[in-house]
Amino acid sequence: MKYLVRDKIFAIGDDYWIEDEQGRHAFLVDGKAMRLRDTLELKDPDGRVLITLRQKMFSLRDTMTIERDERPLATVRRKRLSLLRNHYRVTLVEGTELDVSGRILDREFTVEYEGELLAHISRQWFRVRDTYAVNVVREDADTALLVAVAVCVIRMAERED
């Protein structure tokens, strides 16, 4: 299932909708202004918070945490020694690691688990400028988590740039 994101320069406090392939609102990314750290909430169309993304304070490397129901779900960090492409590691609380690699700022990257493709993020499916898709490949995947990972690594890459 593909989810359409209209790209823009994100600022704290920005809200935007992510649509499904039929053009229906699937997720609202709600930027929380007036917070000490960068915080985003991924909400369903009815306004229920599905996932919260928070910039981790006081860490040596840029780190964001992903929470569900106010409990930690994952930590996202840029991998060290990645010279040719952007690489991020998503470590879930139970120890599972997802690998995010590709050209993040160009919106051409993948999310994998042990070499298996979970999601492909790309602009190539659209002729409209500043639009990209999050294509969740596996039907049994946690769609909200994969969309949150895509939003998170793009935000981190933009801050690093």
Side-chain angles (χ1 to χ4, degrees), residues 98 111-113 116-120 135-138 141 146:
L98 306 179
V111 181
E112 297 179 343
Y113 170 67
E116 181 183 353
L117 181 65
L118 298 178
H120 180 211
N135 183 20
V136 178
V137 177
R138 287 188 48 158
L146 292 172

Side-chain angles (χ1 to χ4, degrees), residues 111-156:
V111 181
E112 297 179 343
Y113 170 67
E114 294 185 348
E116 181 183 353
L117 181 65
L118 298 178
H120 180 211
I121 292 76
S122 180
R123 282 191 171 144
Q124 72 180 359
W125 295 300
F126 301 101
R127 296 183 189 268
V128 179
R129 190 170 190 265
D130 299 331
T131 301
Y132 67 93
V134 177
N135 183 20
V136 178
V137 177
R138 287 188 48 158
E139 289 186 25
D140 63 341
D142 184 339
T143 302
L145 174 62
L146 292 172
V147 168
V149 165
V151 168
C152 187
V153 297
I154 289 170
R155 192 154 188 116
M156 291 173 73

Side-chain angles (χ1 to χ4, degrees), residues 7-16 29-33 37-41 53-55 62 64 76 88 104-105 107 109 132 148-161:
D7 208 4
K8 59 182 174 178
I9 296 179
F10 301 115
I12 295 173
D14 278 353
D15 298 345
Y16 58 96
V29 179
D30 185 1
K32 295 298 178 183
R37 58 186 176 174
D38 196 4
T39 302
L40 301 168
E41 291 178 341
L53 305 169
R54 296 184 202 279
Q55 178 183 9
D62 193 18
M64 289 190 78
V76 181
Y88 289 82
I104 308 296
L105 293 175
R107 309 308 191 254
F109 61 96
Y132 67 93
V149 165
V151 168
C152 187
V153 297
I154 289 170
R155 192 154 188 116
M156 291 173 73
E158 287 177 344
R159 276 201 311 258
E160 290 171 8
D161 191 48

Side-chain angles (χ1 to χ4, degrees), residues 45-80:
D46 295 324
R48 289 185 297 265
V49 176
L50 303 172
I51 300 229
T52 302
L53 305 169
R54 296 184 202 279
Q55 178 183 9
K56 195 166 184 177
M57 301 297 285
F58 311 115
S59 69
L60 296 174
R61 291 187 290 163
D62 193 18
T63 304
M64 289 190 78
T65 59
I66 299 174
E67 300 172 0
R68 180 176 277 146
D69 299 325
E70 299 183 23
R71 289 189 303 263
L73 179 61
T75 302
V76 181
R77 289 185 182 92
R78 184 172 180 162
K79 284 176 71 173
R80 295 181 192 194

